[in-house]
Amino acid sequence: KCPDDIVIKEGDDPDFFYFIAEGSCQIFIKDHFDQIEEIPKILEKGSYIGEIAILHNTKRTATVRAINYCTFGILT
Protein backbone atom coordinates (compact mmCIF):
# COMPACT_ATOMS: atom_id res chain seq x y z
CA LYS A 1 0.00 0.00 0.00
CA CYS A 2 1.02 3.57 -0.63
CA PRO A 3 1.08 6.40 1.95
CA ASP A 4 -2.47 7.45 2.96
CA ASP A 5 -4.08 4.32 1.45
CA ILE A 6 -6.88 2.82 3.53
CA VAL A 7 -6.03 -0.76 4.47
CA ILE A 8 -9.18 -1.51 6.50
CA LYS A 9 -12.33 0.63 6.69
CA GLU A 10 -14.51 0.71 9.80
CA GLY A 11 -17.88 -0.97 9.19
CA ASP A 12 -16.74 -3.12 6.27
CA ASP A 13 -17.07 -6.89 6.22
CA PRO A 14 -13.84 -8.69 7.13
CA ASP A 15 -11.77 -10.27 4.38
CA PHE A 16 -8.25 -10.76 5.74
CA PHE A 17 -6.19 -10.74 8.90
CA TYR A 18 -3.13 -8.57 8.15
CA PHE A 19 0.46 -8.70 9.41
CA ILE A 20 2.60 -5.62 8.77
CA ALA A 21 5.78 -6.88 7.08
CA GLU A 22 7.12 -3.40 6.22
CA GLY A 23 5.95 0.12 6.95
CA SER A 24 3.66 1.63 9.56
CA CYS A 25 -0.06 2.37 9.95
CA GLN A 26 -2.37 4.62 11.97
CA ILE A 27 -5.72 3.63 13.50
CA PHE A 28 -8.89 5.77 13.40
CA ILE A 29 -12.32 5.12 14.94
CA LYS A 30 -15.63 6.98 14.90
CA ASP A 31 -16.76 8.49 18.19
CA HIS A 32 -20.37 8.65 19.42
CA PHE A 33 -21.01 11.67 17.19
CA ASP A 34 -19.68 9.93 14.03
CA GLN A 35 -16.59 12.13 14.11
CA ILE A 36 -13.30 10.49 13.10
CA GLU A 37 -10.95 10.14 16.06
CA GLU A 38 -7.28 9.23 15.79
CA ILE A 39 -5.94 6.58 18.14
CA PRO A 40 -2.52 7.74 19.36
CA LYS A 41 -0.72 4.51 18.53
CA ILE A 42 1.35 3.76 15.45
CA LEU A 43 1.43 0.16 14.27
CA GLU A 44 4.85 -0.88 13.02
CA LYS A 45 6.46 -3.86 11.32
CA GLY A 46 5.45 -7.04 13.16
CA SER A 47 2.05 -5.70 14.26
CA TYR A 48 -1.21 -7.23 13.11
CA ILE A 49 -4.59 -5.75 12.21
CA GLY A 50 -8.05 -7.02 11.37
CA GLU A 51 -8.13 -9.79 13.94
CA ILE A 52 -11.23 -8.63 15.85
CA ALA A 53 -13.59 -8.80 12.86
CA ILE A 54 -12.19 -12.15 11.68
CA LEU A 55 -12.21 -13.82 15.11
CA HIS A 56 -15.64 -12.51 16.12
CA ASN A 57 -17.23 -12.65 12.65
CA THR A 58 -18.31 -9.01 12.83
CA LYS A 59 -17.82 -5.75 10.92
CA ARG A 60 -14.49 -3.92 11.00
CA THR A 61 -14.17 -1.96 14.25
CA ALA A 62 -11.69 0.68 13.05
CA THR A 63 -10.16 2.28 9.97
CA VAL A 64 -6.45 1.67 9.36
CA ARG A 65 -4.44 3.96 7.08
CA ALA A 66 -0.93 3.42 5.76
CA ILE A 67 1.46 6.14 6.94
CA ASN A 68 4.17 5.19 4.46
CA TYR A 69 4.73 2.43 1.93
CA CYS A 70 3.56 -0.84 3.49
CA THR A 71 3.78 -4.53 2.70
CA PHE A 72 1.42 -6.98 4.39
CA GLY A 73 1.16 -10.69 4.93
CA ILE A 74 -2.48 -11.85 4.97
CA LEU A 75 -4.54 -14.75 6.23
CA THR A 76 -8.09 -15.42 5.02
Side-chain angles (χ1 to χ4, degrees):
K1 296 283 183 173
C2 295
D4 295 325
D5 279 356
I6 299 298
V7 181
I8 289 175
K9 185 174 179 192
E10 184 174 357
D12 283 355
D13 289 326
D15 51 0
F16 303 113
F17 175 44
Y18 296 83
F19 295 92
I20 302 173
E22 293 292 333
S24 53
C25 296
Q26 179 69 53
I27 303 171
F28 300 88
I29 60 170
K30 288 184 181 176
D31 65 14
H32 298 297
F33 305 103
D34 265 352
Q35 299 297 312
I36 301 298
E37 190 173 313
E38 181 177 321
I39 303 298
K41 181 177 181 182
I42 304 295
L43 299 174
E44 303 282 346
K45 178 180 178 178
S47 298
Y48 51 89
I49 53 177
E51 76 283 2
I52 294 172
I54 293 288
L55 294 173
H56 297 286
N57 195 28
T58 188
K59 301 282 185 184
R60 295 290 189 191
T61 59
T63 296
V64 178
R65 179 182 55 83
I67 294 174
N68 46 35
Y69 289 98
C70 294
T71 303
F72 298 93
I74 58 171
L75 292 173
T76 56

Coordinates of all heavy atoms in Angstrom, one line a residue:
K1 N 0.8 -1.2 0.0 CA 0.0 0.0 0.0 C 0.9 1.2 0.0 O 2.0 1.2 0.5 CB -0.9 0.0 1.2 CG -1.9 -1.1 1.3 CD -3.1 -0.8 0.4 CE -4.1 -1.9 0.5 NZ -5.3 -1.6 -0.3
C2 N 0.3 2.3 -0.5 CA 1.0 3.6 -0.6 C 0.7 4.4 0.6 O -0.4 4.2 1.2 CB 0.6 4.3 -1.9 SG 1.1 3.5 -3.4
P3 N 1.4 5.5 0.9 CA 1.1 6.4 1.9 C -0.3 6.9 1.8 O -0.8 7.3 0.7 CB 2.1 7.5 1.8 CG 3.3 6.9 1.2 CD 2.7 5.8 0.2
D4 N -1.1 7.0 2.9 CA -2.5 7.5 3.0 C -3.5 6.5 2.4 O -4.7 6.8 2.4 CB -2.6 8.8 2.3 CG -1.8 9.9 3.1 OD1 -1.8 9.8 4.3 OD2 -1.3 10.8 2.4
D5 N -3.1 5.3 1.9 CA -4.1 4.3 1.4 C -4.8 3.7 2.7 O -4.2 3.5 3.7 CB -3.4 3.2 0.7 CG -3.1 3.4 -0.7 OD1 -3.4 4.5 -1.2 OD2 -2.5 2.6 -1.4
I6 N -6.1 3.5 2.5 CA -6.9 2.8 3.5 C -6.7 1.3 3.4 O -6.9 0.7 2.3 CB -8.4 3.2 3.4 CG1 -8.6 4.7 3.6 CG2 -9.2 2.4 4.4 CD1 -8.2 5.3 4.9
V7 N -6.3 0.7 4.5 CA -6.0 -0.8 4.5 C -7.3 -1.5 4.9 O -7.8 -2.4 4.3 CB -4.9 -1.1 5.4 CG1 -4.6 -2.6 5.4 CG2 -3.6 -0.4 5.1
I8 N -7.9 -1.0 5.9 CA -9.2 -1.5 6.5 C -10.1 -0.3 6.8 O -9.6 0.7 7.3 CB -8.9 -2.3 7.8 CG1 -8.2 -3.6 7.6 CG2 -10.2 -2.5 8.6 CD1 -7.8 -4.3 8.8
K9 N -11.4 -0.4 6.4 CA -12.3 0.6 6.7 C -13.4 0.2 7.7 O -14.0 -0.9 7.6 CB -13.0 1.1 5.4 CG -13.9 2.2 5.6 CD -14.5 2.7 4.3 CE -15.4 3.9 4.5 NZ -16.2 4.3 3.4
E10 N -13.6 1.0 8.7 CA -14.5 0.7 9.8 C -15.9 0.5 9.2 O -16.4 1.2 8.3 CB -14.6 1.9 10.8 CG -15.5 1.7 12.0 CD -15.4 2.8 13.0 OE1 -14.6 3.7 12.8 OE2 -16.1 2.7 14.0
G11 N -16.5 -0.6 9.7 CA -17.9 -1.0 9.2 C -17.9 -2.0 8.0 O -19.0 -2.5 7.7
D12 N -16.8 -2.2 7.4 CA -16.7 -3.1 6.3 C -16.8 -4.6 6.8 O -16.4 -4.8 7.9 CB -15.5 -2.9 5.4 CG -15.6 -1.7 4.5 OD1 -16.6 -1.1 4.4 OD2 -14.6 -1.4 3.8
D13 N -17.1 -5.5 5.9 CA -17.1 -6.9 6.2 C -15.6 -7.3 6.2 O -14.8 -6.8 5.4 CB -17.8 -7.7 5.2 CG -19.3 -7.6 5.3 OD1 -19.8 -7.4 6.4 OD2 -20.0 -7.6 4.3
P14 N -15.2 -8.3 7.1 CA -13.8 -8.7 7.1 C -13.5 -9.6 5.9 O -14.3 -10.3 5.4 CB -13.8 -9.5 8.4 CG -15.1 -10.0 8.6 CD -16.1 -8.9 8.1
D15 N -12.3 -9.4 5.5 CA -11.8 -10.3 4.4 C -10.5 -11.0 4.8 O -10.3 -12.2 4.6 CB -11.6 -9.5 3.1 CG -10.8 -8.2 3.3 OD1 -10.3 -7.9 4.4 OD2 -10.6 -7.5 2.3
F16 N -9.5 -10.2 5.4 CA -8.2 -10.8 5.7 C -7.8 -10.3 7.1 O -8.3 -9.3 7.7 CB -7.2 -10.3 4.8 CG -7.4 -10.6 3.3 CD1 -7.7 -9.6 2.4 CD2 -7.4 -11.9 2.9 CE1 -7.9 -9.9 1.1 CE2 -7.7 -12.2 1.5 CZ -7.9 -11.2 0.7
F17 N -6.9 -11.0 7.7 CA -6.2 -10.7 8.9 C -4.8 -10.3 8.4 O -4.2 -11.1 7.7 CB -6.2 -12.0 9.8 CG -5.4 -11.9 11.0 CD1 -5.5 -10.9 11.9 CD2 -4.6 -13.0 11.4 CE1 -4.8 -10.9 13.1 CE2 -3.9 -13.0 12.6 CZ -4.0 -12.0 13.4
Y18 N -4.4 -9.1 8.7 CA -3.1 -8.6 8.1 C -2.0 -8.6 9.2 O -2.2 -8.2 10.3 CB -3.4 -7.1 7.7 CG -4.3 -6.9 6.6 CD1 -5.7 -6.9 6.9 CD2 -3.9 -6.7 5.3 CE1 -6.6 -6.6 5.9 CE2 -4.9 -6.5 4.3 CZ -6.2 -6.5 4.6 OH -7.1 -6.2 3.6
F19 N -0.8 -8.9 8.7 CA 0.5 -8.7 9.4 C 1.3 -7.6 8.7 O 1.5 -7.7 7.5 CB 1.3 -10.0 9.4 CG 0.6 -11.1 10.2 CD1 -0.2 -12.0 9.5 CD2 0.7 -11.2 11.5 CE1 -0.9 -13.0 10.2 CE2 0.1 -12.3 12.2 CZ -0.7 -13.2 11.5
I20 N 1.8 -6.7 9.4 CA 2.6 -5.6 8.8 C 4.0 -6.2 8.6 O 4.7 -6.4 9.6 CB 2.6 -4.3 9.6 CG1 1.1 -3.8 9.8 CG2 3.4 -3.3 8.9 CD1 1.0 -2.6 10.7
A21 N 4.4 -6.4 7.4 CA 5.8 -6.9 7.1 C 6.8 -5.7 6.9 O 7.9 -5.8 7.3 CB 5.8 -7.7 5.8
E22 N 6.3 -4.6 6.4 CA 7.1 -3.4 6.2 C 6.2 -2.2 6.3 O 5.1 -2.2 5.9 CB 7.8 -3.4 4.9 CG 8.9 -4.4 4.7 CD 10.1 -4.3 5.6 OE1 10.4 -3.1 6.0 OE2 10.8 -5.3 5.9
G23 N 6.7 -1.1 6.9 CA 6.0 0.1 7.0 C 5.3 0.3 8.3 O 5.5 -0.4 9.3
S24 N 4.4 1.3 8.3 CA 3.7 1.6 9.6 C 2.3 2.2 9.2 O 2.0 2.7 8.1 CB 4.4 2.6 10.4 OG 4.8 3.8 9.7
C25 N 1.3 2.0 10.2 CA -0.1 2.4 10.0 C -0.6 3.1 11.2 O -0.1 3.0 12.3 CB -0.9 1.1 9.7 SG -0.5 0.2 8.3
Q26 N -1.7 3.9 10.9 CA -2.4 4.6 12.0 C -3.8 4.1 12.1 O -4.4 3.8 11.0 CB -2.4 6.1 11.6 CG -3.1 7.0 12.6 CD -2.3 7.1 14.0 OE1 -1.2 7.4 14.0 NE2 -3.0 6.8 15.0
I27 N -4.4 4.1 13.3 CA -5.7 3.6 13.5 C -6.6 4.8 13.8 O -6.3 5.8 14.5 CB -5.8 2.7 14.7 CG1 -4.8 1.5 14.5 CG2 -7.2 2.2 15.0 CD1 -4.7 0.7 15.8
F28 N -7.9 4.8 13.2 CA -8.9 5.8 13.4 C -10.2 5.1 13.7 O -10.5 4.0 13.2 CB -9.1 6.6 12.1 CG -7.9 7.3 11.7 CD1 -7.0 6.7 10.8 CD2 -7.6 8.6 12.1 CE1 -5.8 7.4 10.4 CE2 -6.5 9.3 11.7 CZ -5.6 8.7 10.9
I29 N -11.0 5.6 14.6 CA -12.3 5.1 14.9 C -13.3 6.3 14.9 O -12.9 7.4 15.0 CB -12.4 4.4 16.3 CG1 -12.0 5.3 17.4 CG2 -11.5 3.2 16.3 CD1 -12.3 4.8 18.8
K30 N -14.6 6.0 14.8 CA -15.6 7.0 14.9 C -16.1 7.1 16.4 O -16.2 6.1 17.0 CB -16.8 6.6 14.0 CG -16.5 6.8 12.5 CD -17.8 6.5 11.7 CE -17.5 6.6 10.3 NZ -18.6 6.3 9.4
D31 N -16.3 8.3 16.8 CA -16.8 8.5 18.2 C -18.3 8.4 18.2 O -18.9 8.1 17.2 CB -16.2 9.8 18.8 CG -16.7 11.0 18.1 OD1 -17.7 11.0 17.3 OD2 -16.2 12.1 18.4
H32 N -18.9 8.7 19.3 CA -20.4 8.6 19.4 C -21.1 9.7 18.5 O -22.3 9.5 18.3 CB -20.8 8.8 20.9 CG -20.3 7.8 21.8 ND1 -20.6 6.4 21.7 CD2 -19.4 7.8 22.8 CE1 -20.0 5.7 22.6 NE2 -19.2 6.6 23.3
F33 N -20.4 10.7 18.0 CA -21.0 11.7 17.2 C -20.6 11.5 15.7 O -20.8 12.4 14.9 CB -20.6 13.1 17.7 CG -20.9 13.3 19.1 CD1 -19.9 13.3 20.0 CD2 -22.2 13.6 19.5 CE1 -20.2 13.5 21.4 CE2 -22.5 13.8 20.9 CZ -21.5 13.7 21.8
D34 N -20.1 10.3 15.4 CA -19.7 9.9 14.0 C -18.5 10.8 13.5 O -18.3 11.0 12.3 CB -20.8 10.0 13.0 CG -21.5 8.6 12.8 OD1 -20.9 7.6 13.3 OD2 -22.5 8.5 12.1
Q35 N -17.8 11.4 14.5 CA -16.6 12.1 14.1 C -15.4 11.2 14.1 O -15.3 10.3 14.9 CB -16.3 13.3 15.1 CG -17.5 14.3 15.2 CD -17.6 15.0 13.9 OE1 -16.7 15.5 13.3 NE2 -18.9 15.1 13.4
I36 N -14.5 11.3 13.2 CA -13.3 10.5 13.1 C -12.3 10.9 14.2 O -12.0 12.1 14.4 CB -12.6 10.6 11.7 CG1 -13.6 10.2 10.6 CG2 -11.4 9.8 11.7 CD1 -14.1 8.8 10.7
E37 N -11.9 9.9 14.9 CA -11.0 10.1 16.1 C -9.7 9.3 15.8 O -9.8 8.1 15.6 CB -11.7 9.7 17.3 CG -11.0 10.1 18.6 CD -11.9 9.7 19.8 OE1 -13.1 10.1 19.8 OE2 -11.3 9.1 20.7
E38 N -8.5 9.9 16.0 CA -7.3 9.2 15.8 C -6.9 8.5 17.1 O -6.9 9.1 18.1 CB -6.2 10.2 15.4 CG -4.9 9.6 15.1 CD -3.9 10.7 14.6 OE1 -4.2 11.6 13.8 OE2 -2.7 10.6 15.1
I39 N -6.5 7.3 17.0 CA -5.9 6.6 18.1 C -4.4 6.9 18.2 O -3.7 6.7 17.2 CB -6.2 5.1 18.0 CG1 -7.7 4.8 17.9 CG2 -5.6 4.3 19.2 CD1 -8.5 5.2 19.0
P40 N -3.9 7.3 19.3 CA -2.5 7.7 19.4 C -1.5 6.6 19.5 O -0.7 6.6 20.3 CB -2.5 8.6 20.6 CG -3.5 8.1 21.5 CD -4.6 7.6 20.5
K41 N -1.7 5.6 18.6 CA -0.7 4.5 18.5 C -0.4 4.2 17.1 O -1.3 4.1 16.2 CB -1.3 3.3 19.2 CG -0.4 2.1 19.2 CD -1.0 0.9 19.9 CE 0.0 -0.2 19.8 NZ -0.5 -1.4 20.4
I42 N 0.9 4.1 16.8 CA 1.4 3.8 15.5 C 1.7 2.3 15.4 O 2.3 1.8 16.3 CB 2.6 4.6 15.1 CG1 2.4 6.1 15.2 CG2 3.1 4.2 13.7 CD1 1.4 6.6 14.3
L43 N 1.1 1.6 14.4 CA 1.4 0.2 14.3 C 2.6 0.0 13.3 O 2.6 0.5 12.2 CB 0.2 -0.6 13.7 CG -1.0 -0.5 14.6 CD1 -2.2 -1.1 13.9 CD2 -0.8 -1.2 15.9
E44 N 3.6 -0.7 13.8 CA 4.9 -0.9 13.0 C 5.0 -2.3 12.5 O 4.2 -3.2 12.8 CB 6.0 -0.5 13.9 CG 6.0 0.9 14.5 CD 6.5 1.9 13.6 OE1 7.0 1.6 12.5 OE2 6.2 3.1 13.9
K45 N 6.1 -2.5 11.8 CA 6.5 -3.9 11.3 C 6.3 -4.9 12.5 O 6.8 -4.6 13.6 CB 7.9 -3.8 10.8 CG 8.5 -5.1 10.3 CD 9.9 -4.9 9.9 CE 10.5 -6.2 9.4 NZ 11.9 -6.0 8.9
G46 N 5.7 -6.0 12.2 CA 5.5 -7.0 13.2 C 4.1 -7.0 13.8 O 3.7 -7.9 14.5
S47 N 3.4 -5.8 13.7 CA 2.0 -5.7 14.3 C 1.0 -6.4 13.4 O 1.3 -6.7 12.2 CB 1.7 -4.2 14.4 OG 2.5 -3.5 15.2
Y48 N -0.1 -6.6 13.9 CA -1.2 -7.2 13.1 C -2.5 -6.4 13.3 O -2.7 -5.7 14.2 CB -1.4 -8.7 13.5 CG -1.6 -8.9 15.0 CD1 -2.9 -8.8 15.6 CD2 -0.5 -9.2 15.8 CE1 -3.1 -9.0 16.9 CE2 -0.7 -9.4 17.2 CZ -2.0 -9.3 17.7 OH -2.1 -9.5 19.1
I49 N -3.3 -6.5 12.2 CA -4.6 -5.7 12.2 C -5.7 -6.6 11.6 O -5.4 -7.5 10.8 CB -4.5 -4.4 11.4 CG1 -3.9 -4.7 10.0 CG2 -3.6 -3.4 12.2 CD1 -3.8 -3.4 9.2
G50 N -6.9 -6.3 12.0 CA -8.0 -7.0 11.4 C -8.5 -8.3 12.1 O -9.4 -9.0 11.7
E51 N -7.8 -8.5 13.2 CA -8.1 -9.8 13.9 C -9.5 -9.8 14.6 O -10.2 -10.8 14.7 CB -7.0 -10.1 15.0 CG -7.1 -9.3 16.2 CD -6.5 -7.9 16.1 OE1 -6.1 -7.4 15.0 OE2 -6.5 -7.2 17.1
I52 N -10.0 -8.7 15.1 CA -11.2 -8.6 15.8 C -12.4 -9.1 15.0 O -13.2 -9.9 15.3 CB -11.5 -7.2 16.4 CG1 -10.4 -6.9 17.5 CG2 -12.9 -7.1 17.0 CD1 -10.5 -5.5 18.0
A53 N -12.5 -8.5 13.8 CA -13.6 -8.8 12.9 C -13.5 -10.3 12.4 O -14.6 -10.9 12.3 CB -13.6 -7.9 11.7
I54 N -12.3 -10.8 12.1 CA -12.2 -12.1 11.7 C -12.6 -13.1 12.8 O -13.3 -14.0 12.6 CB -10.8 -12.4 11.2 CG1 -10.5 -11.6 9.9 CG2 -10.5 -13.9 11.0 CD1 -11.2 -12.1 8.7
L55 N -12.0 -12.9 14.0 CA -12.2 -13.8 15.1 C -13.6 -13.8 15.6 O -14.1 -14.8 16.1 CB -11.2 -13.5 16.3 CG -9.8 -13.8 15.9 CD1 -8.9 -13.3 17.1 CD2 -9.5 -15.3 15.7
H56 N -14.3 -12.6 15.6 CA -15.6 -12.5 16.1 C -16.7 -12.5 15.0 O -17.9 -12.2 15.4 CB -15.7 -11.3 17.0 CG -14.9 -11.4 18.2 ND1 -15.1 -12.2 19.3 CD2 -13.7 -10.8 18.5 CE1 -14.2 -12.1 20.2 NE2 -13.3 -11.2 19.7
N57 N -16.3 -12.6 13.8 CA -17.2 -12.6 12.6 C -18.2 -11.4 12.7 O -19.4 -11.6 12.7 CB -18.0 -14.0 12.6 CG -18.7 -14.1 11.3 OD1 -18.2 -13.6 10.2 ND2 -19.8 -14.8 11.3
T58 N -17.6 -10.3 12.7 CA -18.3 -9.0 12.8 C -17.7 -8.0 11.8 O -16.8 -8.3 11.1 CB -18.2 -8.5 14.3 OG1 -19.1 -7.4 14.4 CG2 -16.8 -8.1 14.7
K59 N -18.3 -6.8 11.8 CA -17.8 -5.8 10.9 C -16.5 -5.2 11.5 O -16.2 -5.4 12.6 CB -18.8 -4.6 10.9 CG -20.2 -5.0 10.4 CD -20.2 -5.1 8.9 CE -21.6 -5.4 8.4 NZ -21.7 -5.6 7.0
R60 N -15.8 -4.5 10.6 CA -14.5 -3.9 11.0 C -14.8 -2.9 12.1 O -15.7 -2.1 12.0 CB -13.8 -3.2 9.8 CG -13.4 -4.2 8.7 CD -12.2 -5.1 9.2 NE -11.7 -5.8 8.1 CZ -10.8 -6.8 8.2 NH1 -10.4 -7.2 9.4 NH2 -10.3 -7.4 7.2
T61 N -13.9 -2.8 13.1 CA -14.2 -2.0 14.2 C -13.4 -0.7 14.2 O -13.5 0.2 15.0 CB -13.8 -2.7 15.6 OG1 -12.5 -3.1 15.5 CG2 -14.7 -3.9 15.8
A62 N -12.5 -0.5 13.2 CA -11.7 0.7 13.0 C -11.2 0.8 11.6 O -11.3 -0.1 10.8 CB -10.5 0.6 14.0
T63 N -10.8 2.0 11.3 CA -10.2 2.3 10.0 C -8.6 2.3 10.2 O -8.2 2.9 11.2 CB -10.6 3.6 9.4 OG1 -12.0 3.5 9.1 CG2 -9.9 4.0 8.1
V64 N -7.9 1.7 9.3 CA -6.5 1.7 9.4 C -5.9 2.3 8.1 O -6.3 1.8 7.0 CB -5.9 0.2 9.6 CG1 -4.4 0.2 9.6 CG2 -6.5 -0.4 10.9
R65 N -5.0 3.3 8.2 CA -4.4 4.0 7.1 C -2.9 3.8 7.1 O -2.3 3.8 8.1 CB -4.8 5.4 7.2 CG -4.2 6.3 6.1 CD -4.5 7.8 6.2 NE -4.1 8.3 7.5 CZ -2.8 8.7 7.8 NH1 -1.9 8.7 6.8 NH2 -2.6 9.3 8.9
A66 N -2.4 3.5 5.9 CA -0.9 3.4 5.8 C -0.3 4.8 5.9 O -0.8 5.8 5.4 CB -0.6 2.9 4.4
I67 N 0.7 4.9 6.7 CA 1.5 6.1 6.9 C 2.5 6.3 5.9 O 2.8 7.4 5.4 CB 2.1 6.2 8.3 CG1 1.0 6.2 9.4 CG2 3.1 7.4 8.5 CD1 1.6 6.1 10.8
N68 N 3.1 5.2 5.5 CA 4.2 5.2 4.5 C 4.0 3.9 3.6 O 2.9 3.3 3.7 CB 5.6 5.2 5.1 CG 5.7 4.3 6.2 OD1 5.2 3.2 6.2 ND2 6.5 4.6 7.3
Y69 N 4.9 3.6 2.8 CA 4.7 2.4 1.9 C 4.7 1.2 2.8 O 5.6 1.0 3.7 CB 5.9 2.3 0.9 CG 5.7 3.4 -0.2 CD1 6.4 4.6 -0.2 CD2 4.8 3.2 -1.2 CE1 6.2 5.5 -1.1 CE2 4.6 4.1 -2.2 CZ 5.3 5.3 -2.2 OH 5.2 6.3 -3.1
C70 N 3.7 0.3 2.6 CA 3.6 -0.8 3.5 C 3.5 -2.1 2.7 O 2.9 -2.1 1.6 CB 2.3 -0.7 4.3 SG 2.3 0.6 5.5
T71 N 3.9 -3.2 3.2 CA 3.8 -4.5 2.7 C 3.1 -5.4 3.8 O 3.5 -5.3 5.0 CB 5.1 -5.1 2.3 OG1 5.8 -4.3 1.4 CG2 5.0 -6.5 1.7
F72 N 2.2 -6.2 3.4 CA 1.4 -7.0 4.4 C 1.5 -8.5 4.0 O 1.5 -8.8 2.9 CB -0.1 -6.6 4.4 CG -0.3 -5.1 4.8 CD1 -0.4 -4.2 3.9 CD2 -0.4 -4.8 6.1 CE1 -0.6 -2.8 4.2 CE2 -0.6 -3.5 6.5 CZ -0.7 -2.5 5.5
G73 N 1.5 -9.3 5.1 CA 1.2 -10.7 4.9 C -0.3 -10.8 5.3 O -0.8 -10.1 6.2
I74 N -1.1 -11.7 4.7 CA -2.5 -11.8 5.0 C -2.9 -13.3 5.2 O -2.3 -14.2 4.7 CB -3.4 -11.2 3.9 CG1 -3.1 -11.9 2.5 CG2 -3.2 -9.7 3.7 CD1 -4.1 -11.5 1.4
L75 N -3.9 -13.5 6.0 CA -4.5 -14.8 6.2 C -6.0 -14.6 6.0 O -6.6 -13.6 6.4 CB -4.4 -15.2 7.7 CG -3.0 -15.6 8.1 CD1 -3.0 -15.9 9.6 CD2 -2.5 -16.8 7.3
T76 N -6.6 -15.5 5.3 CA -8.1 -15.4 5.0 C -8.9 -16.1 6.1 O -8.4 -16.9 6.9 CB -8.4 -16.1 3.7 OG1 -8.0 -17.4 3.7 CG2 -7.8 -15.3 2.5

